Amino acid sequence: MDSIGSSGLRQGEEALSCPEEGLPGPSDSSELVQECLQQFKVTRAQLQQIQASLLGSMEQALRGQASPAPAVRMLPTYVGSTPHGTEQGDFVVLELGATGASLRVLWVTLTGIEGHRVEPRSQEFVIPQEVMLGAGQQLFDFAAHCLSEFLDAQPVNKQGLQLGFSFSFPCHQTGLDRSTLISWTKGFRCSGVEGQDVVQLLRDAIRRQGAYNIDVVAVVNDTVGTMMGCEPGVRPCEVGLVVDTGTNACYMEEARHVAVLDEDRGRVCVSVEWGSFSDDGALGPVLTTFDHTLDHESLNPGAQRFEKMIGGLYLGELVRLVLAHLAQCGVLFGGCTSPALLSQGSILLEHVAEMEDPSAGAARVHAVLQDLGLSPRASDVELVQHVCAAVCTRAAQLCAAALAAVLSCLQHSREQQTLQVAVATGGRVCERHPRFCSILQGTVMLLAPECDVSFIPSADGGGRGVAMVTAVAARLAAHRRLLEETLAPFRLNHDQLAAVQAQMRKAMAKGLRGEASSLRMLPTFVRATPDGSERGDFLALDLGGTNFRVLLVRVTTGVQITSQIYSIPESVAQGSGQQLFDHIVDCIVDFQQKQGLSGQSLPLGFTFSFPCRQLGLDQGILLNWTKGFNASDCEGRDVVSLLREAITRRQAVELNVVAIVNDTVGTMMSCGYEDPRCEIGLIVGTGTNACYMEELRNVAGVPGDSGRMCINMEWGAFGDDGSLAMLSTRFDASVDQASINPGKQRFEKMISGMYLGEIVRHILLYLTSLGVLFRGQQTQRLQTRDIFKTKFLSEIESDSLALRQVRAILEDLGLPLTSDDALMVLEVCQAVSQRAAQLCGAGVAAVVEKIRENRGVEELAVSVGVDGTLYKLHPHFSSLVAATVRELAPHCVVTFLQSEDGSGKGAALVTAVACRLAQLTRV
Ligand code: BG6
Ligand code: GLC
Ligand code: GLC
C-alpha cells in the first residue's frame, strides 16, 4: 500500500474528474446505496455460524490437527501466569508491528505496589516505507538505532538493561525468549525474516549497533502485552484483545489441552491469530465485492481474510472503495472522483473514526472529504457517515463473534457452566472508537450469554504488560534457580545411591556379627516361610502402623480374616505403658464379645512394629519406641509380659500369646503363603523397615549353623551413627530436631510417611522465606506441624490431576496460592518422594545382593512382600523403588508383591507354625 503512515491526506490540489453523461435519478440512487450498504449487514445467524466455525478451528488447532485451509493458529506463548501485581523493576520495551508504520520504545518502571503506577516514558519512531518492505537486517538495525536514540535521552542507569520485545506478528515461540516469525502480516514484508528467530535478529542488531548491552528477556505478542498490563482485579483477566492495524486475541488455556506442548500442568497463554481465519462456509456469505478488491490489491492476497474485515489498516480502505464506487455510480459527489479517492491508502483509520463520530458534525466530514480533493454536497456528508458506520459496525460484530468463540473455548476448557472473566482491550480501534466498543460488547453479550464479561481498556498500550512479562520472565528464572538450588541435595545420582547401598551392606555385616552398627539385625526366631500345612483359628493383634487392628484368622486350605480397627489416641500412645496395654486388652475383649469368642483361649500372634530383641518367638524386649509412640516404662521390658500382665489385670480374659512378630516379618509371611520365593518383607508406611531370610551361620548370638532365620533389620535407624550425614539436608535436620526422638531413625525420617510431609513443609517454609513461594508471605497454616499428610503427597503427585486440582488440595489445607506456586509445591513433593523411593531402593538392593552372595549364585530371583500406605498409595513410589533396585542390583530379578491382608495374617501364620511345631515336640 502506498500511503499508509502518518503523512495524512494528500492535499486536494489535484483535479476532480466528473461524468460526462447523466447521473442516476433519486430512486435509483437510493437503491444503489441500499444495495451497497446491505452488503455490510451481517445477520445474527451468520455471526453465530462464524463463532461456531472459529471455535471448531480453535479446538482443532489446539489438538494439533492440521486443517486444509489456513485457519487460526493457536500459538502457545510461554506466558504461564497472569501478573501478581508484585512485579517490579525498570524495563525497556520495544514495540514493533502493533501500530502501523511506527515503532515505539518505552521505559517502564514497575513499582510492585498495586495501584501505584509510574507513567512510562516513550518515544515513537516512524518506520520508513522502504524499511518496512526492505531487507530484514535493515529493519532490525533501524530498531536498534531507535533504541539507542531513546536511551541516550533517558536520565537512567543504563547498566544491565532488560528488554521486552513486543513483536505483533504470528510466531512460533519455543521459549519466553525464542520466537520464529511464521509470516509477515499487515503492512510489513521484509526479506529474510520469515523462519528466523526474531529475538536473535534483534540481539544481533543491538550488538552490531554496539552502544548498549541489553538483555532481551522476553518476546510477546501485543495481545499478550495487553492482557498482562491489566491491573489484577476482582476477576482474573485472562483474555487480551487487540484491534489496531490488525486484530487478534490471546487467552489463558490449560497446558494439557495444547497438543504441541509436552506439558500437562499449568496454564499457558495462547495467541489465537484469528486474523488468518478464513472458513469459506462461514466467511463467504459476508464477504463483499469490496473485500475481494481490497484483498486483491493488498501485500498478501488470500491471507488474513478475517483481519482485512476488522483491522484498522483496512477499515479506511474499505470505506474508500465504497465511496469511490458510489461516486463512480454517480450517487456521491455529483459523480465526481478525485485522484486521492482513487489512490490506495488515502483514507486512514483516524479519518473513518472522525467521520463516523456523530458528535463531530457535518463540518468535520466536509473537511476530510475536501482534503481528499472532493466537493461534497450536504447529502453526501450523511451518506459518507452511513458508509463509515456500516463498515465499522460489521467490523465490531465480526470481532465480537470471534471473541465469543474465544470465551466459549475458555469456558469449555475450564469446564464451567458460567464463566466470569475480564477481557483487556487494546489497540487504536478499541481505544479511540467508542461506538466500536459498545457494538462489540453488546454483540458479545448476545452471542455468549453464559459468559459474564467485563471489558478493561489497557491503560498505556501493551507496554506495561510487556514489562510485566519481562519482569515475570526474569523473576521466574531467578525463582527457578533458587528452587533448583534448594532441591539439588534431594536429587541423588547413581554414585550417591551406590554409596548408600555399600554402606548399608557394611552396616548389615557388622550388625550380624554383633558389632556396633546402626543396623541392629535382630533375629526373629522365624526359621521358615509357611508351607501350606498350617491349620487352625488364631487371634492376631497388629500394632504400630496407621491402624491398630484385632483379627480373627481362620487357616484352613485358605485363610479367612475377620478384623476390626480400633483407635489408639495420641495420649495413650505417649502416656503410661500400663495405660497402653490396658487399652489393647480392652480392645481384644470388645472384639471377642462381638465375634462370640468370649471365654475361648485362642493362640495369639502379636504384630508389634517396633524394635525388639527377641529371645524366642514369644519373648521380645522393646529396645526403644519409634514413630509416634513413646509410652513410659516399656523400653527394656518384654512386650509379651506387658501384655500378659494387662490380661491378668483385666482378669476376665484368658489369652495364649504364642508369638511376637515385627510387621516386616508378618508381611513377608503373609506374602510367603502365596509365593514361596518371598524371602524379604518391606514396610514403607508410617515408618519403614525390612526383614529377610539370612543364613543362620552368619547370625552371631543364635546357636546353630545350619538353616536360616528371618532377620529384622530395623533399617529405620540406619545412619544414626552419622554415616548418612552427607545426604542429610537442613530440612532433614529440622524435621529430626522437632521429632520426639531427635538423632534417631535418620533413614526412616528420609523415607517414611510420617516424615515426608514434614520435610515438604520445611522446604516450603524456606522457599517462602526466600520469596519464591506464596509471594514471600508466611501463613499461620504453613507453620502448623503435620498439616501435610502422606496422603496429600500421593494425591498431589497423581498424574491424572490437573494443576487446578493440586491447587484445590493445597487451598483446602488453607494455603492460598497461584498456579506457579502449585507447580513448585508439586516439584518439591516430587523431589522429596523421589529421594525417599531411591533410598528405599538402595536399601532393597543391598538386601538382595546380600542374599545372592549368601547363595553364591550369579543370578538371583527373589520376591519382596510389601506393605504400607506410602508404598501402596503413592503413584510413583513403587516403580521408583523397583527402578533403583534394577539399577543397583542388576543380577537380581526382584518381584514386589503387595500384601493384601496386612501383617496380622502373617502373625497368625507364624503362630500356626509355632503351634504345629509345639504339637510335634509334644507327640
Ligand atoms: C499394615 C500392616 O497393612 O501396614 C501393619 O498390617 C503395618 O502391620 C502397616 O505396620 C504399615 O503401614 P502404615 O502405613 O499403616 O504404617
Ligand atoms: C496481526 C498479527 C497478530 C497481532 C495482530 C494485532 O493479526 O498477526 O500477531 O496480534 O495483528 O496487532
Ligand atoms: C519402625 C519400627 C519398625 C517397623 C517400621 C515399620 O521403623 O521401628 O519395627 O517395622 O517402623 O512399621
Side-chain angles (χ1 to χ4, degrees):
M1 293 202 178
D2 289 321
S3 57
I4 36 177
S6 56
S7 59
L9 288 176
R10 293 186 181 123
Q11 292 306 300
E13 72 272 2
E14 293 133 293
L16 278 178
S17 80
C18 299
E20 281 151 25
E21 287 155 36
L23 299 170
S27 67
D28 289 352
S29 304
S30 98
E31 230 169 75
L32 272 166
V33 170
Q34 279 316 314
E35 191 191 304
C36 198
L37 294 183
Q38 192 58 38
Q39 288 191 57
F40 286 89
K41 292 241 153 59
V42 187
T43 64
R44 186 163 165 177
Q46 286 171 327
L47 290 174
Q48 282 166 335
Q49 206 192 336
I50 291 173
Q51 176 187 0
S53 162
L54 187 58
L55 177 61
S57 294
M58 288 173 66
E59 293 186 329
Q60 200 178 6
L62 280 178
R63 287 194 296 269
Q65 292 162 345
S67 93
V72 294
R73 295 193 193 263
M74 305 303 277
L75 302 167
T77 67
Y78 289 84
V79 167
S81 62
T82 47
H84 280 185
T86 53
E87 290 76 11
Q88 51 181 305
D90 292 320
F91 302 93
V92 186
V93 172
L94 174 70
E95 280 181 4
L96 181 65
T99 305
S102 64
L103 177 152
R104 216 157 62 112
V105 187
L106 299 91
W107 181 268
V108 186
T109 300
L110 302 177
T111 60
I113 305 164
E114 235 170 87
H116 184 235
R117 284 183 174 221
V118 174
E119 273 308 304
R121 281 191 282 265
S122 71
Q123 191 176 343
E124 202 155 328
F125 299 84
V126 175
I127 311 173
Q129 186 74 168
E130 66 273 15
V131 172
M132 285 175 68
L133 301 175
Q137 182 163 334
Q138 213 187 338
L139 174 70
F140 284 91
D141 282 342
F142 177 77
H145 170 79
C146 297
L147 263 175
S148 4
E149 192 178 317
F150 171 80
L151 289 170
D152 286 344
Q154 298 305 312
V156 290
N157 183 359
K158 289 162 191 166
Q159 295 311 308
L161 295 171
Q162 297 185 309
L163 180 138
F165 184 20
S166 169
F167 185 75
S168 302
F169 300 94
C171 289
H172 274 305
Q173 250 182 287
T174 48
L176 263 171
D177 64 348
R178 280 191 309 276
S179 193
T180 308
L181 175 65
I182 300 171
S183 58
W184 289 111
T185 55
K186 304 178 279 194
F188 284 77
R189 198 174 57 190
C190 299
S191 59
V193 184
E194 289 177 355
Q196 302 293 312
D197 175 8
V198 294
V199 173
Q200 201 47 49
L201 293 177
L202 179 62
R203 283 181 182 147
D204 293 346
I206 293 173
R207 197 166 339 104
R208 272 196 301 275
Q209 227 271 332
Y212 289 95
N213 184 359
I214 304 173
D215 186 10
V216 185
V217 180
V219 58
V220 294
N221 186 266
D222 52 357
T223 54
V224 183
T226 301
M227 180 184 82
M228 294 291 287
C230 193
E231 279 282 351
V234 238
R235 56 183 68 176
C237 179
E238 296 184 306
V239 181
L241 165 71
V242 168
V243 193
D244 200 297
T245 313
T247 181
N248 185 18
C250 70
Y251 73 103
M252 297 301 292
E253 178 57 271
E254 303 290 328
R256 73 196 138 93
H257 294 161
V258 187
V260 292
L261 294 179
D262 189 20
E263 179 60 71
D264 56 358
R265 312 256 181 198
R267 286 181 184 166
V268 64
C269 176
V270 172
S271 168
V272 179
E273 285 293 336
W274 68 29
S276 57
F277 175 62
S278 67
D279 171 13
D280 278 350
L283 274 195
V286 298
L287 285 167
T288 67
T289 49
F290 306 103
D291 294 303
H292 290 302
T293 310
L294 179 142
D295 177 49
H296 229 72
E297 293 172 357
S298 68
L299 277 180
N300 51 353
Q304 303 290 107
R305 294 306 302 266
F306 193 56
E307 178 162 84
K308 285 172 183 165
M309 302 163 96
I310 302 173
L313 179 58
Y314 308 99
L315 294 185
E317 188 58 11
L318 281 173
V319 167
R320 186 189 70 80
L321 290 171
V322 177
L323 297 188
H325 170 74
L326 289 175
Q328 280 162 341
C329 295
V331 177
L332 269 177
F333 316 127
C336 300
T337 58
S338 67
L341 182 64
L342 299 180
S343 305
Q344 203 186 35
S346 61
I347 300 185
L348 302 179
L349 171 66
E350 48 265 41
H351 305 131
V352 178
E354 220 178 325
M355 293 196 286
E356 196 211 352
D357 180 2
S359 65
R364 239 354 259 153
V365 183
H366 218 273
V368 171
L369 293 171
Q370 262 182 338
D371 274 355
L372 277 173
L374 299 163
S375 315
R377 298 165 302 182
S379 62
D380 290 341
V381 167
E382 200 181 326
L383 185 47
V384 169
Q385 282 183 316
H386 279 140
V387 171
C388 292
V391 169
C392 293
T393 302
R394 185 188 68 160
Q397 290 172 330
L398 293 177
C399 186
L403 183 58
V406 171
L407 295 172
S408 312
C409 194
L410 191 61
Q411 188 186 8
H412 291 180
S413 109
R414 299 288 146 87
E415 296 159 16
Q416 281 168 2
Q417 285 288 317
T418 56
L419 182 73
Q420 288 209 325
V421 70
V423 176
T425 61
R428 284 169 309 158
V429 176
C430 287
E431 280 159 18
R432 304 188 195 157
H433 217 311
R435 242 192 98 242
F436 184 95
C437 284
S438 62
I439 295 172
L440 171 79
Q441 296 182 10
T443 314
V444 167
M445 275 166 65
L446 219 64
L447 296 177
E450 65 289 353
C451 299
D452 176 5
V453 192
S454 52
F455 289 83
I456 306 182
S458 88
D460 36 26
R464 228 179 96 77
V466 179
M468 291 279 190
V469 177
T470 313
V472 171
R475 172 170 55 85
L476 285 181
H479 284 182
R480 188 130 285 282
R481 271 195 302 277
L482 287 169
L483 178 71
E484 271 315 312
E485 271 167 38
T486 307
L487 297 183
F490 288 87
R491 309 206 193 279
L492 305 181
N493 59 31
H494 175 90
D495 291 350
Q496 287 170 303
L497 291 170
V500 172
Q501 177 188 14
Q503 267 171 1
M504 172 92 70
R505 280 295 299 274
K506 241 193 244 161
M508 285 167 77
K510 280 187 171 177
L512 285 173
R513 288 197 298 267
E515 294 166 17
S517 165
S518 62
L519 290 183
R520 290 199 183 99
M521 308 301 282
L522 302 165
T524 64
F525 293 85
V526 169
R527 293 168 195 268
T529 47
D531 66 3
S533 65
E534 300 74 15
R535 294 286 181 273
D537 287 357
F538 307 91
L539 272 181
L541 303 179
D542 186 351
L543 177 78
T546 309
N547 297 307
F548 169 51
R549 286 198 198 86
V550 184
L551 310 89
L552 171 64
V553 184
R554 298 215 138 103
V555 187
T556 52
T557 45
V559 177
Q560 262 187 341
I561 299 178
T562 316
S563 74
Q564 186 164 344
I565 291 175
Y566 293 89
S567 74
I568 305 234
E570 195 179 85
S571 59
V572 174
Q574 298 181 9
S576 75
Q578 189 164 329
Q579 221 183 336
L580 172 64
F581 282 90
D582 283 348
H583 178 71
I584 293 172
V585 172
D586 285 346
C587 297
I588 302 172
V589 171
D590 177 77
F591 182 78
Q592 283 186 320
Q593 279 166 357
K594 285 192 178 134
Q595 298 301 324
L597 299 170
S598 302
Q600 292 184 37
S601 164
L602 295 178
L604 181 139
F606 186 6
T607 300
F608 182 73
S609 311
F610 301 95
C612 291
R613 182 163 310 282
Q614 286 190 243
L615 304 173
L617 252 191
D618 65 348
Q619 224 180 343
I621 311 230
L622 175 64
L623 296 172
N624 54 274
W625 286 114
T626 54
K627 301 176 282 194
F629 281 74
N630 197 16
S632 59
D633 303 323
C634 299
E635 291 179 356
R637 306 258 339 254
D638 173 20
V639 178
V640 178
S641 308
L642 290 172
L643 185 63
R644 285 190 183 130
E645 285 164 19
I647 293 167
T648 316
R649 280 196 293 280
R650 190 65 158 85
Q651 284 177 351
V653 268
E654 262 187 58
L655 288 174
N656 171 19
V657 186
V658 175
I660 177 165
V661 178
N662 186 265
D663 53 357
T664 52
V665 182
T667 300
M668 180 188 79
M669 295 296 275
S670 169
C671 292
Y673 191 72
E674 319 292 336
D675 174 0
R677 281 188 323 184
C678 181
E679 296 185 69
I680 302 172
L682 171 67
I683 299 281
V684 195
T686 315
T688 182
N689 188 14
C691 71
Y692 72 102
M693 296 305 292
E694 179 57 271
E695 306 302 316
L696 203 52
R697 63 172 189 272
N698 293 335
V699 186
V702 178
D705 258 354
S706 67
R708 294 176 183 153
M709 179 168 285
C710 179
I711 299 294
N712 168 12
M713 293 174 68
E714 282 298 329
W715 82 12
F718 177 50
D720 288 1
D721 54 1
S723 54
L724 281 180
M726 295 289 288
L727 298 184
S728 178
T729 66
R730 58 195 296 167
F731 311 107
D732 295 303
S734 305
V735 170
D736 178 49
Q737 278 310 312
S739 68
I740 57 172
N741 51 354
K744 300 275 163 40
Q745 303 292 106
R746 298 304 301 265
F747 195 56
E748 178 159 271
K749 284 173 184 163
M750 292 173 144
I751 297 178
S752 77
M754 185 159 171
Y755 307 98
L756 291 198
E758 274 299 279
I759 301 177
V760 167
R761 189 178 70 85
H762 280 280
I763 300 176
L764 299 187
L765 280 172
Y766 176 71
L767 290 173
T768 312
S769 75
L770 294 182
V772 172
L773 268 181
F774 310 130
R775 301 182 192 188
Q777 296 189 342
Q778 298 285 6
T779 60
Q780 200 54 47
R781 284 300 281 163
L782 203 56
Q783 317 268 0
T784 318
R785 247 183 92 168
D786 291 330
I787 54 158
F788 260 89
K789 304 280 177 233
T790 326
K791 81 167 193 228
F792 292 134
L793 280 162
S794 301
E795 276 174 34
I796 286 170
E797 290 185 56
S798 152
D799 285 333
S800 60
L801 278 202
L803 207 57
R804 170 169 53 87
Q805 291 159 298
V806 174
R807 262 178 78 169
I809 293 172
L810 296 167
E811 275 164 3
D812 273 355
L813 285 178
L815 299 175
L817 73 178
T818 63
S819 297
D820 280 345
D821 287 338
L823 196 58
M824 288 206 225
V825 173
L826 171 67
E827 286 182 48
V828 171
C829 291
Q830 282 168 338
V832 171
S833 60
Q834 169 161 338
R835 181 187 68 160
Q838 288 177 329
L839 288 175
C840 179
V844 174
V847 175
V848 292
E849 276 296 302
K850 175 77 167 80
I851 299 179
R852 190 173 73 86
E853 195 182 276
N854 285 345
R855 309 278 154 91
V857 291
E858 274 294 307
E859 304 284 328
L860 175 78
V862 68
S863 300
V864 183
V866 199
D867 208 341
T869 37
L870 179 56
Y871 187 92
K872 283 177 161 177
L873 298 185
H874 191 281
H876 308 297
F877 201 94
S878 55
S879 49
L880 271 168
V881 171
T884 310
V885 174
R886 272 196 303 276
E887 192 182 317
L888 297 178
H891 297 291
C892 299
V893 179
V894 183
T895 309
F896 291 87
L897 307 167
Q898 289 198 18
S899 151
E900 300 303 334
D901 309 309
S903 67
K905 170 177 160 186
L909 289 169
V910 173
T911 309
V913 175
C915 292
R916 179 160 55 82
L917 292 178
Q919 254 168 8
L920 281 180
T921 44
R922 271 203 295 278
V923 171

